[in-house]
Amino acid sequence: MSNAIQDAPAKAAPRPRKDSLSQRHLPRWAPAAFAAVAVALGCGTGVAAGLESRIQWGLISALAFVIVSYAVTSAVENQRQAKDRLATSVVWVCFILAVIPLFSLIWVTVSRGLKVLDGYFLTHSMAGVPGFDVGGGVYHALVGTLEQVGLATLISAPIGLLTAVYLVEYGKGSLAKAVTFFVDVMTGIPSIVAGLFILSIMLMADLQPSGLMGALALAILMIPVVVRSTEEMLKLVPNELREAALALGVPKWRVILKVVIPTAIGGITTGVMLAIARIAGETAPIMLLVFGSQLINTNPFEGAQSALPFYIWEQYKVGSEASYDRAWAAALVLIAFVMILNLVARGIARWKAPKTGR
């Protein structure tokens, strides 16, 4: 009996299906190899076809990367993994295509802005310096931007926060719907419209240009961003926290003040910083309401002021090599200003965030 069993032909092992998960796998360095091959193909195709634009070379390389990744994965592994690799490759290509212009902009701004960016440039104004001459600085514009953005933040942040709290915690019925509708409409208002609105008030009230007028226009642009971002952060706070506090007999206003807002303070702060970054580069309201000045004016409530965006436009309009260098240096200062604000905001958010236990 045992001999018969031994002599019986062994059944052939079933062949793995083509789409089985038990087939071979590519090594981890495969995407890097695909990228190297794609770059070589793109450069070779560009040279062979006589293409002078490096952008065309890059697009050919991106297309080759997607095709090579899919073809090799389909041949070595299976169709399921090949489709997954195809989707991953498309995501990576789209990410790189989105990041390249950003890095290119930063590189050009840094390389050209560092030519004149020094202590003298940051501590002197353009008073008495002709636009086509070498010299001068950005101090008066930096002071104006700090004061105008600061006033706009002091005006818009409380209004936006209270509006968001109303919409999330109390808003019901037609009034809440109307507020939400107008917030959405204000989000798309062009900056020139906000500037014209404040300009009409200035003309009716016979007011003079000042940093405050520019801050009011910037606040109009900032409020909807603060409202929308704060509203979304408050919605992320779990309802269990509210219910637990209310079950202890705590008034609702105190629950909002002590539980809801501290829980969402990180997101709220980030939203405010995004709104500041949104208004820091606006030029049209400054041109209409602040008028610009070559002198240092530290009083935002009286007299014309300058601002970094207005200074950049003003120097670029001159058209000389020295003015172009000052414009690029001011652009670099503006980027650094926004980045520093974001770092400070993240630090405050981490410091004020509720402490979690073990």
Side-chain angles (χ1 to χ4, degrees), residues 27-324:
R28 292 185 177 181
W29 48 264
F34 296 157
V37 172
V39 171
L41 289 175
C43 295
T45 304
V47 172
L51 302 176
E52 298 181 357
S53 176
R54 299 298 185 269
I55 297 177
Q56 294 175 329
W57 294 18
L59 293 177
I60 295 173
S61 300
L63 181 60
F65 175 72
V66 174
I67 295 175
V68 170
S69 300
Y70 178 79
V72 175
T73 306
S74 178
V76 175
E77 298 183 356
N78 52 60
Q79 286 295 321
R80 181 185 291 120
Q81 296 294 337
K83 293 178 181 179
D84 179 77
R85 182 84 67 178
L86 175 64
T88 305
S89 302
V90 171
V91 170
W92 272 105
V93 168
C94 293
F95 168 74
I96 293 173
L97 292 178
V99 168
I100 286 177
L102 175 61
F103 279 104
S104 175
L105 175 63
I106 294 176
W107 173 258
V108 173
T109 304
V110 172
S111 61
R112 300 197 60 174
L114 288 177
K115 291 182 180 180
V116 297
L117 183 60
D118 52 16
Y120 179 88
F121 182 77
L122 294 174
T123 56
H124 287 75
S125 67
M126 291 297 296
V129 180
F132 50 83
D133 281 355
V134 178
V138 76
Y139 180 74
H140 61 299
L142 183 59
V143 170
T145 294
L146 290 174
E147 293 180 348
Q148 293 157 25
V149 172
L151 287 173
T153 305
L154 290 177
I155 296 171
S156 60
I159 296 175
L161 177 60
L162 293 176
T163 304
V165 169
Y166 166 75
L167 292 176
V168 175
E169 303 295 337
Y170 298 98
K172 294 180 181 179
S174 58
L175 179 59
K177 293 180 180 179
V179 172
T180 302
F181 172 76
F182 283 110
V183 168
D184 293 337
V185 171
M186 289 178 63
T187 305
I189 289 180
S191 59
I192 189 66
V193 175
L196 290 173
F197 174 71
I198 300 299
L199 180 61
S200 63
I201 296 177
M202 288 175 55
L203 296 176
M204 290 187 295
D206 195 20
L207 299 175
Q208 298 299 319
S210 64
L212 177 61
M213 298 297 105
L216 292 176
L218 296 179
I220 294 175
L221 301 173
M222 189 174 176
I223 286 175
V225 181
V226 176
V227 173
R228 185 58 64 206
S229 59
T230 304
E231 184 181 359
E232 295 301 324
M233 291 301 104
L234 294 178
K235 289 180 179 178
L236 293 178
V237 178
N239 286 327
E240 289 77 4
L241 295 177
R242 298 180 177 89
E243 295 170 356
L246 292 173
L248 296 175
V250 181
K252 188 171 184 177
W253 67 268
R254 195 170 182 85
V255 173
I256 297 172
L257 189 62
K258 296 295 185 179
V259 177
V260 177
I261 292 180
T263 304
I265 190 62
I268 294 173
T269 306
T270 303
V272 173
M273 290 302 105
L274 290 175
I276 292 176
R278 159 78 169 84
I279 66 172
E282 293 293 345
T283 308
I286 307 303
M287 296 173 62
L288 290 174
L289 307 172
V290 186
F291 276 22
S293 175
Q294 304 293 331
L295 305 177
I296 300 173
N297 181 12
T298 58
N299 184 6
F301 303 100
E302 183 179 359
Q305 275 189 323
S306 185
L308 288 174
F310 182 84
Y311 179 87
I312 296 170
W313 172 81
E314 188 178 43
Q315 294 300 316
Y316 185 81
K317 184 180 65 173
V318 173
S320 66
E321 188 66 26
S323 65
Y324 286 157

